Amino acid sequence: MNSSAHADRSGEDGKARQGGGQTGLLDLWPDALRATGAMRGQPPYRVTQVFEWVYRRGADGFAGMTNLPKGLRERLEQELAVYESSIADHVQSRDGTEKLLLRWPDEATSECVLIPEGNRRTACVSTQVGCPVRCVFCASGLGGLQRNLSAGQIVEQALRLSRLCGDERGLANVVFMGLGEPLANYEATVRAVRTLNADWSLNIGARRITISTVGLPKQMRRLADERLQVTLAVSLHAPSDELRRRLIPWAERITIDDLVSAGSYFFERTGREVTLEYVLLGGVNDGPIHARQLADVAKRLRSNVNLIRYNPVAGLPFSRPTSEGGRQFLSVLRKRGVNAHLRRSRGQDIDGACGQLRRREQSG
Ligand code: SAH
């Protein structure tokens, strides 16, 4: 690897590359690309040209960047990789949802999903390989955390999904709801948001980006202070500390009061309402009493609630409530004045829930 490129790569604060391999172009912001060895002596507009190819026209290598001199293309190719991953699997659901399993140079694999919503499309990206949180109902944490993804590797997922749209303007929203806990990989997550947001990149408005967290109060406050207009979704999943601790090991040290207080701070600082996510687990957290308690939490936080019926994971002892059960739970919330929605599950026939495809590959 070219040493000047390494020194100028501002993405990882000097940390070792995530997953080895060549320097990833997607980790470079314009100044850092301009400072690479390959770009030495080149006019500044070359940077714009490269980024236009990659972010607007979906180029996956330098060779086809026909408005760049051939020598420059070759030098860039030697020094940088546009994409670091290869596609290990690509599955399509009957409902139009598509899922990619990406393999990184260190053989780690992660998932990302494209979810159509009318003619709009949402990209769901992972922030880590595996997950350190180990929620008892979730497939992602079953093998623990393997490593963080870099900002460029997070952006790469969005780009690969936008290529599936056949149109780089095809992504309406990006949700950080794949494998991993985004706020446990804080720097890369925020940097990826800023990259997706940049006018030289995909130019996706921060309001169209959602970060979903298990709820880490310190990092939620820090994110509020970034003054980014992102949507923050907090995975509550239980309306009392006692039940939440049974479902989410990290809740041992974090109370719902802590989350309400950090969520309120986020709202005050950004003016953005926080969303509470709530996975309905049959017979566990889906009773009328839970709905009433959840309504209280949502009102304290002045938050919206997104309900989703559990997507069963092979080998885990949880069941999916009926759609009627889901609607009843929803109506309790609404009667109490909470702005709540019951989300449709997407891509069920392709192991839609986090971590399931990766898990199948590992065990198969
Ligand atoms: N670590 C982040 C992102 C995780 S994935 C977080 O906790 O928010 C996004 C959401 O999917 C989380 O709310 C997660 O709890 C939920 N989820 C995980 N497994 C699920 C399953 N099998 N069915 C439905 N939702 C699931």
Side-chain angles (χ1 to χ4, degrees):
M1 187 192 297
N2 179 304
S3 62
S4 70
H6 189 259
D8 289 321
R9 192 174 45 75
S10 41
E12 295 300 321
D13 304 319
K15 274 187 269 157
R17 281 200 65 62
Q18 300 293 356
Q22 248 179 328
T23 297
L25 173 68
L26 306 179
D27 268 314
L28 304 183
W29 283 1
D31 282 351
L33 175 58
R34 196 168 298 132
T36 56
M39 279 292 184
R40 200 162 293 142
Q42 293 290 326
Y45 65 81
R46 293 288 183 220
V47 168
T48 313
Q49 287 177 314
V50 170
F51 281 159
E52 259 179 28
W53 276 107
V54 172
Y55 291 107
R56 305 271 147 84
R57 299 162 83 168
D60 59 359
F62 294 101
M65 298 186 181
T66 46
N67 55 357
L68 302 185
K70 195 148 181 288
L72 173 60
R73 281 184 257 162
E74 285 165 5
R75 286 197 302 280
L76 284 167
E77 191 122 349
Q78 273 172 7
E79 193 171 335
L80 302 168
V82 176
Y83 289 160
E84 297 180 59
S85 67
S86 57
I87 298 180
D89 202 355
H90 176 185
V91 284
Q92 255 174 305
S93 160
R94 281 189 295 276
D95 67 16
T97 302
E98 292 184 63
K99 190 168 206 171
L100 295 178
L101 183 71
L102 301 182
R103 178 167 286 116
W104 302 98
D106 62 350
E107 298 293 319
T109 54
S110 66
E111 299 173 19
C112 54
V113 189
L114 184 68
I115 307 158
E117 210 81 60
N119 42 17
R120 303 163 67 82
R121 289 181 178 82
T122 294
C124 174
V125 297
S126 297
T127 53
Q128 298 182 308
V129 178
C131 185
V133 183
R134 294 175 182 267
C135 298
V136 295
F137 52 85
C138 179
S140 304
L142 286 173
L145 174 70
Q146 201 169 330
R147 69 166 170 87
N148 285 331
L149 290 165
S150 72
Q153 290 165 348
I154 298 169
V155 170
E156 177 162 338
Q157 300 167 59
L159 268 179
R160 282 207 177 275
L161 294 170
S162 79
R163 277 160 53 98
L164 293 183
C165 302
D167 172 1
E168 71 287 343
R169 289 173 308 251
L171 291 187
N173 304 292
V174 178
V175 297
F176 287 56
M177 289 190 181
L179 299 176
E181 167 48 45
L183 297 188
N185 185 14
Y186 185 89
E187 275 85 11
T189 292
V190 169
R191 188 175 164 89
V193 170
R194 293 196 194 282
T195 306
L196 294 169
N197 195 210
D199 56 4
W200 46 263
S201 165
L202 290 177
N203 205 6
I204 296 174
R207 285 165 180 253
R208 296 194 281 133
I209 298 176
T210 298
I211 295 181
S212 176
T213 177
V214 72
L216 307 181
K218 210 168 111 211
Q219 288 87 333
M220 286 163 66
R221 286 198 163 80
R222 190 170 164 204
L223 185 65
D225 291 336
E226 304 275 352
R227 297 288 186 155
L228 277 170
Q229 287 287 299
V230 288
T231 301
L232 181 64
V234 177
S235 293
L236 195 71
H237 304 333
S240 68
D241 288 326
E242 191 266 322
L243 180 56
R244 198 163 189 267
R245 286 178 179 146
R246 281 199 270 140
L247 301 177
I248 304 173
W250 283 20
E252 199 55 56
R253 286 164 290 148
I254 297 163
T255 64
I256 293 174
D257 281 349
D258 294 337
L259 297 182
V260 168
S261 145
S264 303
Y265 182 77
F266 187 88
F267 179 57
E268 279 158 29
R269 291 286 283 175
T270 63
R272 306 281 297 150
E273 281 174 6
V274 172
T275 301
L276 289 178
E277 289 168 278
Y278 196 95
V279 174
L280 291 168
L281 302 161
V284 175
N285 66 354
D286 64 341
I289 169 93
H290 301 117
R292 291 194 293 273
Q293 290 174 336
L294 174 58
D296 290 344
V297 178
K299 278 163 56 186
R300 280 167 63 206
L301 186 49
R302 283 177 292 175
S303 62
N304 310 306
V305 174
N306 268 342
L307 302 174
I308 183 141
R309 286 187 297 139
Y310 184 58
N311 253 323
V313 174
L316 296 185
F318 295 98
S319 65
R320 176 178 172 85
T322 60
S323 55
E324 181 49 31
R327 278 196 295 274
Q328 277 172 13
F329 195 94
L330 177 67
S331 78
V332 175
L333 295 178
R334 288 194 168 157
K335 270 196 207 112
R336 293 181 171 243
V338 175
N339 180 15
H341 298 275
L342 181 61
R343 296 291 170 207
R344 270 187 303 154
S345 305
R346 307 300 301 267
Q348 275 200 293
D349 52 328
I350 56 165
D351 295 323
C354 322
Q356 295 195 37
L357 184 61
R358 173 168 171 266
R359 188 152 172 262
R360 193 178 60 186
E361 198 220 34
Q362 285 174 334
S363 56

